[in-house]
Structures are given as structure tokens and as C-alpha cells.
Amino acid sequence: QPEIQMRLLSTKAIADGHAANLQYMNEDFTQSVMATPDVMNDVKWLQEFVTKDGSMQSDAAATASGNVTREFINGKTGFAIGGDWVLPDLKKNAKFNWDVLPFPRGEVSQPGYSIYGPLSLLAGSKHKEEAFLWLSFQFTMEAQKWKIDQGANASVADPELTAYYDQAPIWQDKNIEAVKIAQKNAVIQPGATVPGWSEYNWNNILNEIIFGERDINDIIPETEAWNKKTTELRATLTQ
């Protein structure tokens, strides 16, 4: 499952102190550290799950076997990574018992992985009052409990909401403490606030290396080129 590379490897880099932020970004999100020796060794480590260990399939092997391991619900995969979007289907259709685990603990920390969807009120809106009421509702106890019921984590820190995880039907008979750890240790996925982010090839290149036949050393020139570009773009924005 490509999510293993996309999310686990990036989180491992933080857990072992090889990167400060997700997607191999440094402390202030100004540069990628993907081409550093420590992160490159992380990539080799996961690549060997395919090339040596055999517990993960290459793209070619997965295709040859009908892609049955690409979807966790098929029951052919031991571990998978997914967000709240996979839970309703698992609860309804999985023909096997499944449970949840937190991301692994590394040498320095045990980070989780959070995808934020920013909300905003447009200055040109013709419905500012209605929009404000809708935005305000999102942070009420009712809305936050609804989020938990869908398998998402609450975006408000409150003891009542933390206690509610134990009551939510979606997590009954599951490892609820792992869900609480995921909320507590979550690291936010970076994105559009980083200049040139859409041109940062952190994900596809690692898929091509780990699950395909691309040379791992291609990481170095690509990262160096993007670091140069994001620095130049940042300079134009701060002038």
C-alpha cells in the first residue's frame, strides 16, 4: 500500500530525529532535508522491505497479483494506514477483525500524522453572518462529537471530548488509547503555505524508488533544485 511510504516513512524521519516536520521539512519549513544521509538511509530501510524482506510488494508484483494487497479491506495485508475516510467501509464490509495502532515510537519521539482542512470566511462573501455562524458551529461540542463519531479526531482540546472517545460507537471494541495517542501526538502535514510546495516531488519519487526501479540517488539533485527554488520564491514574497 503506497500510504505506508507516504505517511509512515515521513513520520519515521521525525520519530528518529532525522527531520523536524512531515515531508522531510526542516524546523521552519524553509528547506527539505530529504537528501541528507539519515533520511536517505530511512528510504533504503523501507526499500528493503520490498527488495530483501519481501513483506511489501513492488508495483510490478502487486499488479501481477491483481492488486489484492493494495486495499486493506481485502484482508490480504497485515498493516495499512488510513484516515477516517476508510472507517465506515471497514465497519460495514470487512470480513475480518481489525484494530488500530499508533504510529511506532522512534529514537526521540512518537509522532502521529494529521491532515488539516483550513476553514475561512471570504472578505467578499455576501453571507458573512451565516458563514460565521456555520464556522462557529464547527467548534461546538455537538459538532466535535459528530467528528469523533465519524472516526476523525477532535480539533478542540477538552476533557469532555477526550472522554467521549470511549463512548463513540465507531471505536467500541477497538484500541481506543491508540486513537487518543494519535490525537495527542499529531504532527500537521505542511502544504500551500510553503513557497513552491506543488513542485516539491517528495512523494512520487519515493514511490518510484521503493516500489519501482528508480535510482535512490535521484533524490539528491531533485531536492537540491527544489531547495534553491523555494528559497528564491520566498525571497520574492518577503521583499
Side-chain angles (χ1 to χ4, degrees):
Q1 186 204 36
E3 290 276 351
I4 291 286
Q5 178 281 120
M6 183 181 183
R7 312 217 188 266
L8 179 65
L9 192 59
S10 178
T11 310
K12 179 186 185 299
I14 298 175
D16 287 339
H18 302 160
N21 287 293
L22 292 173
Q23 274 79 84
Y24 318 102
M25 293 299 293
N26 66 356
E27 189 72 40
D28 59 1
F29 298 99
T30 57
Q31 296 280 276
S32 167
V33 298
M34 191 163 64
T36 58
D38 282 338
V39 174
M40 296 273 283
N41 283 333
D42 287 338
V43 176
K44 291 176 183 175
W45 169 81
L46 191 61
Q47 183 186 44
E48 289 182 354
F49 277 62
V50 177
T51 60
K52 292 186 178 180
D53 178 79
S55 60
M56 293 201 310
Q57 290 185 312
S58 66
D59 284 335
T63 300
S65 62
N67 287 319
V68 294
T69 63
R70 292 301 171 99
E71 297 294 334
F72 183 66
I73 199 167
N74 290 333
K76 304 296 183 181
T77 303
F79 297 93
I81 295 172
D84 52 0
W85 57 89
V86 307
L87 296 173
D89 194 32
L90 279 177
K91 291 283 280 190
K92 181 180 179 182
N93 297 316
K95 301 193 180 344
F96 55 89
N97 292 327
W98 56 273
D99 209 337
V100 291
L101 291 169
F103 278 77
R105 181 180 299 278
E107 294 180 4
V108 298
S109 65
Q110 187 179 15
Y113 196 112
S114 180
I115 305 171
Y116 270 15
L119 301 172
S120 63
L121 171 57
L122 298 179
S125 172
K126 296 179 181 179
H127 304 282
K128 287 187 175 67
E129 183 177 348
E130 294 93 333
F132 179 77
L133 289 172
W134 185 84
L135 286 171
S136 299
F137 174 72
Q138 303 308 308
F139 298 93
T140 63
M141 285 294 174
E142 179 184 354
Q144 291 295 310
K145 288 181 179 179
W146 180 88
K147 284 183 62 178
I148 293 172
D149 283 337
Q150 312 314 307
N153 271 315
S155 49
V156 173
D158 187 280
E160 182 179 342
L161 291 174
T162 301
Y164 186 71
Y165 285 99
D166 295 306
Q167 305 169 36
I170 198 165
W171 295 124
Q172 294 308 302
D173 302 319
K174 305 299 180 189
N175 183 6
I176 299 174
E177 290 307 310
V179 181
K180 294 177 182 178
I181 290 173
Q183 192 232 12
K184 179 181 178 182
N185 293 357
V187 178
I188 302 170
Q189 175 180 288
T193 56
V194 179
W197 184 258
S198 63
E199 299 174 51
Y200 178 30
N201 187 23
W202 65 272
N203 186 34
N204 289 340
I205 188 173
L206 295 186
N207 279 335
E208 291 165 2
I209 291 167
I210 292 167
F211 299 109
E213 298 182 357
R214 188 165 179 178
D215 190 331
I216 190 172
N217 292 309
D218 287 352
I219 292 173
I220 298 171
E222 285 218 18
T223 305
E224 290 176 348
W226 184 79
N227 279 341
K228 183 174 183 289
K229 176 149 196 170
T230 191
T231 299
E232 292 170 347
L233 286 172
R234 189 179 295 272
T236 65
L237 295 171
T238 55
Q239 287 176 356

Short mmCIF file of all heavy atoms in Angstrom, two decimals, residues 61-125:
data_model
loop_
_atom_site.label_atom_id
_atom_site.label_comp_id
_atom_site.label_asym_id
_atom_site.label_seq_id
_atom_site.Cartn_x
_atom_site.Cartn_y
_atom_site.Cartn_z
N ALA A 61 4.98 -6.51 -8.82
CA ALA A 61 4.46 -7.70 -8.14
C ALA A 61 3.01 -7.52 -7.72
O ALA A 61 2.20 -8.45 -7.82
CB ALA A 61 5.33 -8.03 -6.93
N ALA A 62 2.68 -6.32 -7.26
CA ALA A 62 1.30 -6.05 -6.86
C ALA A 62 0.36 -6.15 -8.05
O ALA A 62 -0.72 -6.74 -7.96
CB ALA A 62 1.20 -4.67 -6.22
N THR A 63 0.79 -5.60 -9.18
CA THR A 63 -0.03 -5.67 -10.39
C THR A 63 -0.21 -7.11 -10.85
O THR A 63 -1.31 -7.54 -11.22
CB THR A 63 0.60 -4.83 -11.52
OG1 THR A 63 0.70 -3.47 -11.09
CG2 THR A 63 -0.22 -4.90 -12.79
N ALA A 64 0.87 -7.86 -10.78
CA ALA A 64 0.83 -9.27 -11.23
C ALA A 64 -0.12 -10.11 -10.38
O ALA A 64 -0.70 -11.08 -10.87
CB ALA A 64 2.23 -9.86 -11.22
N SER A 65 -0.28 -9.73 -9.13
CA SER A 65 -1.15 -10.50 -8.24
C SER A 65 -2.56 -9.91 -8.16
O SER A 65 -3.33 -10.27 -7.26
CB SER A 65 -0.54 -10.58 -6.84
OG SER A 65 -0.42 -9.28 -6.27
N GLY A 66 -2.88 -9.02 -9.08
CA GLY A 66 -4.22 -8.47 -9.12
C GLY A 66 -4.49 -7.35 -8.14
O GLY A 66 -5.65 -7.01 -7.88
N ASN A 67 -3.43 -6.75 -7.59
CA ASN A 67 -3.55 -5.62 -6.66
C ASN A 67 -4.38 -5.93 -5.42
O ASN A 67 -4.96 -5.03 -4.81
CB ASN A 67 -4.13 -4.39 -7.38
CG ASN A 67 -3.13 -3.75 -8.32
OD1 ASN A 67 -1.95 -3.62 -8.01
ND2 ASN A 67 -3.59 -3.37 -9.50
N VAL A 68 -4.43 -7.19 -5.03
CA VAL A 68 -5.26 -7.55 -3.87
C VAL A 68 -4.71 -6.97 -2.57
O VAL A 68 -5.46 -6.78 -1.60
CB VAL A 68 -5.40 -9.08 -3.72
CG1 VAL A 68 -6.17 -9.66 -4.89
CG2 VAL A 68 -4.04 -9.76 -3.57
N THR A 69 -3.41 -6.67 -2.52
CA THR A 69 -2.84 -6.13 -1.28
C THR A 69 -2.97 -4.61 -1.18
O THR A 69 -2.64 -4.04 -0.15
CB THR A 69 -1.35 -6.51 -1.16
OG1 THR A 69 -0.63 -5.90 -2.24
CG2 THR A 69 -1.16 -7.99 -1.18
N ARG A 70 -3.41 -3.97 -2.24
CA ARG A 70 -3.47 -2.51 -2.26
C ARG A 70 -4.60 -1.96 -1.39
O ARG A 70 -4.57 -0.81 -0.99
CB ARG A 70 -3.60 -2.00 -3.70
CG ARG A 70 -2.35 -2.22 -4.54
CD ARG A 70 -1.15 -1.53 -3.93
NE ARG A 70 0.10 -1.88 -4.56
CZ ARG A 70 0.70 -1.10 -5.46
NH1 ARG A 70 0.15 0.02 -5.84
NH2 ARG A 70 1.85 -1.48 -5.97
N GLU A 71 -5.62 -2.78 -1.14
CA GLU A 71 -6.75 -2.34 -0.32
C GLU A 71 -6.82 -3.22 0.93
O GLU A 71 -6.96 -4.42 0.84
CB GLU A 71 -8.07 -2.45 -1.11
CG GLU A 71 -8.12 -1.55 -2.34
CD GLU A 71 -8.12 -0.07 -1.99
OE1 GLU A 71 -8.55 0.27 -0.86
OE2 GLU A 71 -7.68 0.74 -2.83
N PHE A 72 -6.73 -2.59 2.08
CA PHE A 72 -6.70 -3.31 3.35
C PHE A 72 -7.95 -4.17 3.54
O PHE A 72 -7.89 -5.27 4.13
CB PHE A 72 -6.57 -2.31 4.49
CG PHE A 72 -6.47 -2.93 5.86
CD1 PHE A 72 -5.38 -3.71 6.21
CD2 PHE A 72 -7.47 -2.75 6.80
CE1 PHE A 72 -5.27 -4.29 7.47
CE2 PHE A 72 -7.39 -3.32 8.07
CZ PHE A 72 -6.29 -4.08 8.40
N ILE A 73 -9.08 -3.69 3.04
CA ILE A 73 -10.34 -4.40 3.25
C ILE A 73 -10.35 -5.76 2.58
O ILE A 73 -11.18 -6.63 2.90
CB ILE A 73 -11.53 -3.54 2.77
CG1 ILE A 73 -12.83 -4.04 3.42
CG2 ILE A 73 -11.62 -3.50 1.24
CD1 ILE A 73 -14.00 -3.11 3.27
N ASN A 74 -9.42 -6.01 1.65
CA ASN A 74 -9.35 -7.32 1.02
C ASN A 74 -8.87 -8.41 1.98
O ASN A 74 -8.97 -9.60 1.68
CB ASN A 74 -8.41 -7.27 -0.20
CG ASN A 74 -9.01 -6.47 -1.34
OD1 ASN A 74 -10.23 -6.37 -1.46
ND2 ASN A 74 -8.16 -5.89 -2.17
N GLY A 75 -8.31 -8.01 3.11
CA GLY A 75 -7.88 -8.99 4.10
C GLY A 75 -6.59 -9.70 3.76
O GLY A 75 -6.27 -10.73 4.35
N LYS A 76 -5.81 -9.14 2.83
CA LYS A 76 -4.55 -9.75 2.41
C LYS A 76 -3.34 -8.97 2.91
O LYS A 76 -2.21 -9.29 2.56
CB LYS A 76 -4.50 -9.84 0.88
CG LYS A 76 -5.67 -10.59 0.25
CD LYS A 76 -5.70 -12.05 0.65
CE LYS A 76 -6.83 -12.79 -0.04
NZ LYS A 76 -6.89 -14.21 0.36
N THR A 77 -3.57 -7.94 3.71
CA THR A 77 -2.50 -7.07 4.16
C THR A 77 -2.52 -6.99 5.69
O THR A 77 -3.59 -6.80 6.28
CB THR A 77 -2.66 -5.65 3.56
OG1 THR A 77 -2.69 -5.76 2.14
CG2 THR A 77 -1.53 -4.74 3.98
N GLY A 78 -1.36 -7.10 6.29
CA GLY A 78 -1.28 -7.07 7.75
C GLY A 78 -1.46 -5.70 8.35
O GLY A 78 -2.13 -5.54 9.38
N PHE A 79 -0.85 -4.70 7.73
CA PHE A 79 -0.89 -3.34 8.26
C PHE A 79 -1.20 -2.37 7.12
O PHE A 79 -0.71 -2.54 6.01
CB PHE A 79 0.45 -2.95 8.89
CG PHE A 79 0.81 -3.79 10.08
CD1 PHE A 79 1.61 -4.92 9.94
CD2 PHE A 79 0.36 -3.46 11.35
CE1 PHE A 79 1.95 -5.71 11.02
CE2 PHE A 79 0.70 -4.24 12.45
CZ PHE A 79 1.49 -5.37 12.29
N ALA A 80 -2.00 -1.37 7.43
CA ALA A 80 -2.31 -0.33 6.46
C ALA A 80 -2.48 0.98 7.21
O ALA A 80 -2.69 0.99 8.43
CB ALA A 80 -3.57 -0.66 5.68
N ILE A 81 -2.37 2.08 6.50
CA ILE A 81 -2.56 3.40 7.08
C ILE A 81 -3.77 4.04 6.41
O ILE A 81 -3.89 4.04 5.18
CB ILE A 81 -1.32 4.28 6.89
CG1 ILE A 81 -0.14 3.68 7.67
CG2 ILE A 81 -1.58 5.71 7.35
CD1 ILE A 81 1.18 4.36 7.41
N GLY A 82 -4.65 4.57 7.21
CA GLY A 82 -5.82 5.24 6.65
C GLY A 82 -6.41 6.21 7.64
O GLY A 82 -6.18 6.10 8.85
N GLY A 83 -7.15 7.16 7.13
CA GLY A 83 -7.82 8.12 8.00
C GLY A 83 -9.27 7.77 8.21
O GLY A 83 -9.71 6.64 7.92
N ASP A 84 -10.03 8.74 8.69
CA ASP A 84 -11.43 8.49 8.99
C ASP A 84 -12.22 8.06 7.76
O ASP A 84 -13.25 7.40 7.88
CB ASP A 84 -12.07 9.73 9.63
CG ASP A 84 -11.84 11.00 8.83
OD1 ASP A 84 -11.18 10.94 7.78
OD2 ASP A 84 -12.34 12.06 9.27
N TRP A 85 -11.70 8.40 6.57
CA TRP A 85 -12.43 8.06 5.35
C TRP A 85 -12.51 6.55 5.08
O TRP A 85 -13.37 6.11 4.32
CB TRP A 85 -11.79 8.76 4.15
CG TRP A 85 -10.34 8.47 3.96
CD1 TRP A 85 -9.79 7.46 3.23
CD2 TRP A 85 -9.24 9.19 4.50
NE1 TRP A 85 -8.42 7.48 3.29
CE2 TRP A 85 -8.05 8.56 4.07
CE3 TRP A 85 -9.12 10.32 5.31
CZ2 TRP A 85 -6.78 9.00 4.42
CZ3 TRP A 85 -7.85 10.77 5.66
CH2 TRP A 85 -6.72 10.11 5.23
N VAL A 86 -11.63 5.76 5.68
CA VAL A 86 -11.68 4.31 5.42
C VAL A 86 -12.54 3.57 6.44
O VAL A 86 -12.89 2.40 6.24
CB VAL A 86 -10.26 3.69 5.43
CG1 VAL A 86 -9.34 4.43 4.48
CG2 VAL A 86 -9.67 3.66 6.85
N LEU A 87 -12.89 4.23 7.54
CA LEU A 87 -13.54 3.52 8.65
C LEU A 87 -14.97 3.06 8.37
O LEU A 87 -15.31 1.92 8.71
CB LEU A 87 -13.49 4.40 9.91
CG LEU A 87 -12.08 4.67 10.43
CD1 LEU A 87 -12.13 5.68 11.57
CD2 LEU A 87 -11.42 3.39 10.89
N PRO A 88 -15.82 3.89 7.77
CA PRO A 88 -17.20 3.39 7.53
C PRO A 88 -17.22 2.12 6.70
O PRO A 88 -17.98 1.19 6.99
CB PRO A 88 -17.87 4.57 6.80
CG PRO A 88 -17.11 5.78 7.27
CD PRO A 88 -15.69 5.32 7.41
N ASP A 89 -16.37 2.06 5.67
CA ASP A 89 -16.33 0.87 4.82
C ASP A 89 -15.82 -0.34 5.60
O ASP A 89 -16.34 -1.45 5.46
CB ASP A 89 -15.45 1.14 3.60
CG ASP A 89 -15.64 0.08 2.51
OD1 ASP A 89 -16.77 -0.44 2.38
OD2 ASP A 89 -14.66 -0.22 1.80
N LEU A 90 -14.80 -0.13 6.44
CA LEU A 90 -14.28 -1.23 7.25
C LEU A 90 -15.35 -1.74 8.22
O LEU A 90 -15.54 -2.95 8.37
CB LEU A 90 -13.05 -0.78 8.03
CG LEU A 90 -11.71 -0.77 7.30
CD1 LEU A 90 -10.62 -0.23 8.22
CD2 LEU A 90 -11.34 -2.17 6.83
N LYS A 91 -16.01 -0.80 8.89
CA LYS A 91 -17.03 -1.20 9.87
C LYS A 91 -18.16 -1.99 9.20
O LYS A 91 -18.70 -2.93 9.77
CB LYS A 91 -17.61 0.04 10.56
CG LYS A 91 -16.64 0.76 11.48
CD LYS A 91 -16.46 0.04 12.80
CE LYS A 91 -17.57 0.32 13.77
NZ LYS A 91 -17.28 -0.20 15.13
N LYS A 92 -18.50 -1.60 7.98
CA LYS A 92 -19.65 -2.20 7.32
C LYS A 92 -19.29 -3.48 6.57
O LYS A 92 -20.07 -4.46 6.58
CB LYS A 92 -20.25 -1.18 6.35
CG LYS A 92 -21.48 -1.68 5.61
CD LYS A 92 -22.01 -0.60 4.67
CE LYS A 92 -23.23 -1.10 3.90
NZ LYS A 92 -23.73 -0.06 2.95
N ASN A 93 -18.13 -3.51 5.93
CA ASN A 93 -17.87 -4.56 4.94
C ASN A 93 -16.70 -5.50 5.26
O ASN A 93 -16.57 -6.54 4.61
CB ASN A 93 -17.63 -3.94 3.57
CG ASN A 93 -18.86 -3.21 3.06
OD1 ASN A 93 -19.97 -3.72 3.16
ND2 ASN A 93 -18.67 -2.02 2.52
N ALA A 94 -15.83 -5.15 6.21
CA ALA A 94 -14.68 -6.02 6.48
C ALA A 94 -15.15 -7.37 7.01
O ALA A 94 -15.98 -7.44 7.92
CB ALA A 94 -13.74 -5.35 7.47
N LYS A 95 -14.61 -8.43 6.45
CA LYS A 95 -14.99 -9.79 6.85
C LYS A 95 -13.94 -10.38 7.81
O LYS A 95 -13.78 -11.59 7.88
CB LYS A 95 -15.17 -10.67 5.62
CG LYS A 95 -16.25 -10.15 4.66
CD LYS A 95 -16.63 -11.16 3.64
CE LYS A 95 -17.70 -10.69 2.65
NZ LYS A 95 -18.46 -9.53 3.00
N PHE A 96 -13.23 -9.53 8.51
CA PHE A 96 -12.22 -9.97 9.46
C PHE A 96 -12.16 -8.96 10.60
O PHE A 96 -12.63 -7.82 10.47
CB PHE A 96 -10.85 -10.09 8.78
CG PHE A 96 -10.41 -8.82 8.08
CD1 PHE A 96 -9.69 -7.84 8.76
CD2 PHE A 96 -10.74 -8.59 6.75
CE1 PHE A 96 -9.29 -6.68 8.13
CE2 PHE A 96 -10.35 -7.43 6.10
CZ PHE A 96 -9.62 -6.47 6.79
N ASN A 97 -11.60 -9.37 11.71
CA ASN A 97 -11.43 -8.46 12.84
C ASN A 97 -10.23 -7.54 12.58
O ASN A 97 -9.18 -8.00 12.16
CB ASN A 97 -11.20 -9.24 14.13
CG ASN A 97 -12.43 -10.01 14.57
OD1 ASN A 97 -13.55 -9.56 14.36
ND2 ASN A 97 -12.23 -11.17 15.16
N TRP A 98 -10.40 -6.28 12.85
CA TRP A 98 -9.31 -5.32 12.66
C TRP A 98 -9.25 -4.40 13.88
O TRP A 98 -10.20 -4.27 14.64
CB TRP A 98 -9.51 -4.49 11.38
CG TRP A 98 -10.83 -3.75 11.32
CD1 TRP A 98 -12.01 -4.23 10.85
CD2 TRP A 98 -11.08 -2.42 11.79
NE1 TRP A 98 -12.99 -3.28 10.98
CE2 TRP A 98 -12.46 -2.17 11.54
CE3 TRP A 98 -10.30 -1.43 12.37
CZ2 TRP A 98 -13.05 -0.94 11.88
CZ3 TRP A 98 -10.88 -0.21 12.70
CH2 TRP A 98 -12.24 0.03 12.45
N ASP A 99 -8.09 -3.80 14.05
CA ASP A 99 -7.90 -2.89 15.18
C ASP A 99 -6.96 -1.78 14.76
O ASP A 99 -6.48 -1.76 13.62
CB ASP A 99 -7.34 -3.65 16.39
CG ASP A 99 -7.77 -3.03 17.72
OD1 ASP A 99 -8.11 -1.82 17.73
OD2 ASP A 99 -7.75 -3.74 18.74
N VAL A 100 -6.71 -0.85 15.66
CA VAL A 100 -5.86 0.29 15.34
C VAL A 100 -4.64 0.34 16.25
O VAL A 100 -4.68 -0.11 17.39
CB VAL A 100 -6.64 1.62 15.45
CG1 VAL A 100 -7.69 1.72 14.37
CG2 VAL A 100 -7.29 1.75 16.83
N LEU A 101 -3.56 0.87 15.70
CA LEU A 101 -2.31 1.07 16.43
C LEU A 101 -1.84 2.51 16.20
O LEU A 101 -2.10 3.08 15.14
CB LEU A 101 -1.22 0.12 15.93
CG LEU A 101 -1.39 -1.37 16.22
CD1 LEU A 101 -0.35 -2.16 15.43
CD2 LEU A 101 -1.22 -1.63 17.71
N PRO A 102 -1.10 3.08 17.17
CA PRO A 102 -0.49 4.38 16.90
C PRO A 102 0.72 4.19 15.98
O PRO A 102 1.20 3.07 15.79
CB PRO A 102 -0.05 4.85 18.29
CG PRO A 102 0.20 3.57 19.04
CD PRO A 102 -0.82 2.58 18.51
N PHE A 103 1.19 5.28 15.40
CA PHE A 103 2.44 5.20 14.65
C PHE A 103 3.55 4.75 15.61
O PHE A 103 3.52 5.08 16.80
CB PHE A 103 2.80 6.56 14.06
CG PHE A 103 2.08 6.85 12.77
CD1 PHE A 103 0.75 7.23 12.76
CD2 PHE A 103 2.75 6.76 11.55
CE1 PHE A 103 0.08 7.49 11.59
CE2 PHE A 103 2.09 7.03 10.37
CZ PHE A 103 0.76 7.39 10.37
N PRO A 104 4.55 4.02 15.12
CA PRO A 104 5.59 3.49 16.00
C PRO A 104 6.41 4.58 16.70
O PRO A 104 6.58 5.68 16.17
CB PRO A 104 6.48 2.69 15.05
CG PRO A 104 5.61 2.38 13.87
CD PRO A 104 4.70 3.56 13.73
N ARG A 105 6.90 4.25 17.85
CA ARG A 105 7.81 5.14 18.57
C ARG A 105 9.21 5.01 17.97
O ARG A 105 9.67 3.92 17.66
CB ARG A 105 7.86 4.77 20.05
CG ARG A 105 8.77 5.67 20.89
CD ARG A 105 8.76 5.23 22.35
NE ARG A 105 7.43 5.31 22.93
CZ ARG A 105 6.89 6.44 23.40
NH1 ARG A 105 7.57 7.57 23.33
NH2 ARG A 105 5.67 6.42 23.91
N GLY A 106 9.88 6.15 17.79
CA GLY A 106 11.23 6.14 17.27
C GLY A 106 12.25 6.40 18.36
O GLY A 106 11.96 6.25 19.55
N GLU A 107 13.43 6.82 17.97
CA GLU A 107 14.50 7.04 18.94
C GLU A 107 14.27 8.28 19.79
O GLU A 107 14.77 8.36 20.90
CB GLU A 107 15.84 7.17 18.19
CG GLU A 107 16.26 5.87 17.50
CD GLU A 107 17.59 6.02 16.77
OE1 GLU A 107 18.20 7.10 16.87
OE2 GLU A 107 18.00 5.07 16.09
N VAL A 108 13.49 9.26 19.27
CA VAL A 108 13.32 10.51 20.04
C VAL A 108 11.86 10.85 20.31
O VAL A 108 11.57 11.64 21.21
CB VAL A 108 13.99 11.70 19.32
CG1 VAL A 108 15.49 11.48 19.20
CG2 VAL A 108 13.38 11.95 17.95
N SER A 109 10.92 10.30 19.55
CA SER A 109 9.52 10.67 19.77
C SER A 109 8.59 9.65 19.12
O SER A 109 9.04 8.70 18.47
CB SER A 109 9.24 12.07 19.20
OG SER A 109 9.39 12.08 17.79
N GLN A 110 7.29 9.88 19.30
CA GLN A 110 6.27 9.02 18.69
C GLN A 110 5.21 9.91 18.04
O GLN A 110 4.09 10.03 18.53
CB GLN A 110 5.64 8.11 19.74
CG GLN A 110 4.70 7.06 19.14
CD GLN A 110 4.09 6.15 20.20
OE1 GLN A 110 4.14 6.44 21.39
NE2 GLN A 110 3.53 5.04 19.78
N PRO A 111 5.53 10.52 16.91
CA PRO A 111 4.59 11.45 16.29
C PRO A 111 3.44 10.75 15.59
O PRO A 111 3.59 9.63 15.09
CB PRO A 111 5.47 12.21 15.28
CG PRO A 111 6.52 11.20 14.91
CD PRO A 111 6.79 10.43 16.16
N GLY A 112 2.31 11.42 15.54
CA GLY A 112 1.20 10.98 14.71
C GLY A 112 1.17 11.80 13.44
O GLY A 112 2.12 12.54 13.14
N TYR A 113 0.08 11.68 12.70
CA TYR A 113 0.01 12.32 11.38
C TYR A 113 -1.36 12.98 11.25
O TYR A 113 -2.38 12.31 11.38
CB TYR A 113 0.18 11.26 10.30
CG TYR A 113 0.51 11.79 8.92
CD1 TYR A 113 1.76 11.54 8.36
CD2 TYR A 113 -0.40 12.51 8.18
CE1 TYR A 113 2.08 12.00 7.09
CE2 TYR A 113 -0.10 12.99 6.92
CZ TYR A 113 1.15 12.72 6.38
OH TYR A 113 1.46 13.18 5.13
N SER A 114 -1.38 14.27 11.01
CA SER A 114 -2.65 14.97 10.94
C SER A 114 -2.77 15.74 9.63
O SER A 114 -1.83 16.41 9.20
CB SER A 114 -2.78 15.96 12.11
OG SER A 114 -4.01 16.65 12.04
N ILE A 115 -3.93 15.62 8.99
CA ILE A 115 -4.23 16.39 7.78
C ILE A 115 -5.27 17.44 8.15
O ILE A 115 -6.39 17.10 8.55
CB ILE A 115 -4.78 15.47 6.67
CG1 ILE A 115 -3.82 14.32 6.40
CG2 ILE A 115 -5.06 16.26 5.39
CD1 ILE A 115 -4.38 13.26 5.48
N TYR A 116 -4.90 18.69 8.06
CA TYR A 116 -5.81 19.77 8.41
C TYR A 116 -6.54 20.30 7.19
O TYR A 116 -5.95 20.42 6.11
CB TYR A 116 -5.03 20.93 9.06
CG TYR A 116 -4.91 20.83 10.56
CD1 TYR A 116 -5.18 19.64 11.22
CD2 TYR A 116 -4.52 21.92 11.33
CE1 TYR A 116 -5.07 19.55 12.59
CE2 TYR A 116 -4.40 21.85 12.69
CZ TYR A 116 -4.68 20.66 13.33
OH TYR A 116 -4.55 20.56 14.68
N GLY A 117 -7.81 20.65 7.36
CA GLY A 117 -8.58 21.31 6.31
C GLY A 117 -8.94 22.70 6.81
O GLY A 117 -9.92 22.87 7.53
N PRO A 118 -8.16 23.71 6.44
CA PRO A 118 -8.41 25.07 6.95
C PRO A 118 -9.78 25.59 6.56
O PRO A 118 -10.29 25.30 5.47
CB PRO A 118 -7.30 25.90 6.30
CG PRO A 118 -6.25 24.92 5.91
CD PRO A 118 -6.98 23.67 5.55
N LEU A 119 -10.39 26.35 7.45
CA LEU A 119 -11.67 27.00 7.20
C LEU A 119 -11.47 28.50 7.22
O LEU A 119 -10.68 29.02 8.00
CB LEU A 119 -12.68 26.61 8.28
CG LEU A 119 -12.99 25.12 8.45
CD1 LEU A 119 -13.87 24.89 9.68
CD2 LEU A 119 -13.68 24.58 7.21
N SER A 120 -12.18 29.21 6.37
CA SER A 120 -12.02 30.66 6.34
C SER A 120 -13.31 31.33 5.90
O SER A 120 -14.20 30.70 5.32
CB SER A 120 -10.89 31.06 5.38
OG SER A 120 -11.18 30.66 4.06
N LEU A 121 -13.39 32.60 6.18
CA LEU A 121 -14.53 33.43 5.77
C LEU A 121 -14.02 34.43 4.75
O LEU A 121 -13.14 35.25 5.05
CB LEU A 121 -15.12 34.16 6.98
CG LEU A 121 -16.18 35.23 6.74
CD1 LEU A 121 -17.36 34.65 5.98
CD2 LEU A 121 -16.65 35.82 8.06
N LEU A 122 -14.52 34.35 3.53
CA LEU A 122 -14.05 35.23 2.47
C LEU A 122 -14.51 36.67 2.70
O LEU A 122 -15.67 36.92 3.05
CB LEU A 122 -14.56 34.75 1.11
CG LEU A 122 -14.09 33.36 0.66
CD1 LEU A 122 -14.69 33.01 -0.69
CD2 LEU A 122 -12.57 33.31 0.59
N ALA A 123 -13.59 37.61 2.47
CA ALA A 123 -13.91 39.02 2.67
C ALA A 123 -15.04 39.48 1.76
O ALA A 123 -15.83 40.36 2.10
CB ALA A 123 -12.66 39.87 2.44
N GLY A 124 -15.13 38.88 0.56
CA GLY A 124 -16.15 39.29 -0.39
C GLY A 124 -17.46 38.52 -0.27
O GLY A 124 -18.35 38.68 -1.12
N SER A 125 -17.61 37.72 0.77
CA SER A 125 -18.82 36.91 0.93
C SER A 125 -20.05 37.80 1.10
O SER A 125 -20.01 38.82 1.80
CB SER A 125 -18.69 35.99 2.13
OG SER A 125 -19.91 35.35 2.40
#
